[in-house]
Amino acid sequence: MILALAGGVGGAKLADGLYRALGPDTLAVVVNTADDFDLYGLRISPDADTVLYTLAGIANPATGWGLAGDTFETLAMLRRYGEDTWFQVGDHDFATHLLRTQRLREGWSMTRVLAAFTGALGVRARLLPMADEPVATMVATPDGELAFQDYFVRRRHSDTVRGVRFAGIEAARIPDAVRQAVRDASAIIFCPSNPIVSIGPILAVPGMRDLLRSTSAPKVAVSPIVGGRALKGPADTMLRDLGHEASPFAVVSLYHDLLTGIVIDHADAEQQARIALLGVRVLVTDTVMTSLADRIRLASEVAQFAAELRGDEGNV
Ligand code: FO1
């Protein structure tokens, strides 16, 4: 079984490649839940839903989030009431949020909700939240601290980032299903998601870094930074704002105590030697995923690289 750690759209794409390359029942994905928030009384879990819809083959191909072919009549009606509908929730997408909210109110955990949703949509990968307790990413900017979706969607991630914190993280616990998945994993893949606000919260759950270090399974990251730029979203400017380089080397530095290997793009091949000095093995390949074939090819190469690293550790 392969375990992937994923955030938003980039993470979902690689998770999808792994799902299709490895076959059903061999993949577990731990998703960031610190982007989750409440809107119109509903609990929204953007990263979990992005992975869910992508693996189910029903994600909107244009945005990567939301549902293919969705309509927006509910938002249109909300606008007639004078609401500022800055967050685009589609009519079908609303059903997911309604049911999740209902289930959580009935006392279900997020772990149970996601298991039910994957089962209902025919997804034969395990989709696990990083924690069942609510955690909220807060972004410090020159205009004050912003809730994550305010920063990301409402203000189009245009603010300078002075700091990031994960409210509620001290009370978050690693779900038993995540502990089991880490124990069962023959490799752990850090998807090409934002290292600060997508993978960062997962690693910030108390005990998570120790748990990941406790397994001898190889841990391989795929860099979300290619040629100094984020493939999607603000990871590059966020890294620079927080005093890092926007480079695969910086990604390795952030995961320094965890990684066995990193997959970087040909555009960054010159960083190979510098990364190798940190004791991390490097695979250079094409990492930009524009088609389904790209996802499957990259996922196969990543899985093969991890298998080689397992061999290196004499632990096949
Ligand atoms: N991202 C946007 O940039 N604009 C939106 O209006 C938006 C709506 C949305 C609705 C449901 C959902 O599951 C995700 C949605 N996202 C939207 C994506 C999401 O908020 C971000 O990509 C993630 O939080 C960052 O990983």
Side-chain angles (χ1 to χ4, degrees), residues 8 35 46-47 49-50 65 86-89 93 148-149 152-153:
D35 290 10
D47 286 1
D49 291 351
T50 296
W65 47 263
W86 57 274
F87 196 76
Q88 299 300 299
V89 181
D93 194 19
F148 182 75
Q149 299 296 343
F152 194 93
V153 175

Side-chain angles (χ1 to χ4, degrees), residues 7-9 32 35-37 44-47 49-50 53 65-66 85-90 93 97 100 148-149 152-154 157 197-198 232:
V9 174
N32 169 37
D35 290 10
D36 297 13
F37 72 119
I44 316 256
S45 298
D47 286 1
D49 291 351
T50 296
Y53 295 159
W65 47 263
T85 55
W86 57 274
F87 196 76
Q88 299 300 299
V89 181
D93 194 19
H97 313 313
R100 173 174 31 243
F148 182 75
Q149 299 296 343
F152 194 93
V153 175
R154 199 204 286 253
H157 44 76
V197 291
S198 294
K232 199 169 192 309

Side-chain angles (χ1 to χ4, degrees), residues 286-300:
D286 293 326
T287 62
V288 182
M289 295 175 278
T290 45
S291 67
L292 179 59
D294 290 337
R295 296 179 191 182
I296 297 171
R297 189 232 352 111
L298 178 60
S300 306

Side-chain angles (χ1 to χ4, degrees), residues 89 91 138 145 188:
V89 181
D91 298 323
M138 305 297 295
E145 192 173 59
I188 297 173

Side-chain angles (χ1 to χ4, degrees), residues 45 49 62 67 87-88 92 143 146 156 158 176 204 225 238 249 262 283 308:
S45 298
D49 291 351
L67 286 159
F87 196 76
Q88 299 300 299
H92 296 90
D143 277 0
L146 302 173
R156 298 167 201 267
S158 57
D176 288 343
I225 304 288
M238 197 180 269
F249 181 82
I262 185 159
L283 174 71
E308 284 164 26

Side-chain angles (χ1 to χ4, degrees), residues 110-268:
M110 264 295 278
T111 301
R112 188 172 169 202
V113 169
L114 293 183
F117 285 3
T118 47
L121 296 184
V123 173
R124 287 173 61 187
R126 299 175 70 194
L127 183 54
L128 306 170
M130 67 184 211
D132 285 316
E133 298 75 16
V135 177
T137 296
M138 305 297 295
V139 182
T141 75
D143 277 0
E145 192 173 59
L146 302 173
F148 182 75
Q149 299 296 343
D150 264 356
Y151 156 78
F152 194 93
V153 175
R154 199 204 286 253
R155 296 167 68 109
R156 298 167 201 267
H157 44 76
S158 57
D159 298 88
T160 300
V161 175
R162 290 196 170 151
V164 168
R165 74 181 175 96
F166 309 123
I169 198 79
E170 314 77 23
R173 297 278 167 272
I174 301 170
D176 288 343
V178 172
R179 283 188 191 281
Q180 191 58 50
V182 170
R183 275 197 287 271
D184 292 347
S186 58
I188 297 173
I189 312 298
F190 294 53
C191 288
S193 303
N194 186 314
I196 311 271
V197 291
S198 294
I199 305 293
I202 301 176
L203 299 180
V205 176
M208 189 69 83
R209 290 187 101 107
D210 287 341
L211 176 67
L212 294 172
R213 270 195 303 266
S214 73
T215 164
S216 59
K219 286 145 220 123
V220 174
V222 178
S223 176
I225 304 288
V226 172
R229 306 195 53 174
L231 292 174
K232 199 169 192 309
D236 47 1
T237 48
M238 197 180 269
L239 281 165
R240 287 196 194 94
D241 284 353
L242 293 173
H244 305 280
E245 290 175 10
S247 71
F249 181 82
V251 175
V252 172
S253 308
L254 287 166
Y255 304 151
H256 63 99
D257 52 332
L258 300 169
L259 285 192
T260 323
I262 185 159
V263 180
I264 68 173
D265 195 83
H266 285 294
D268 297 307

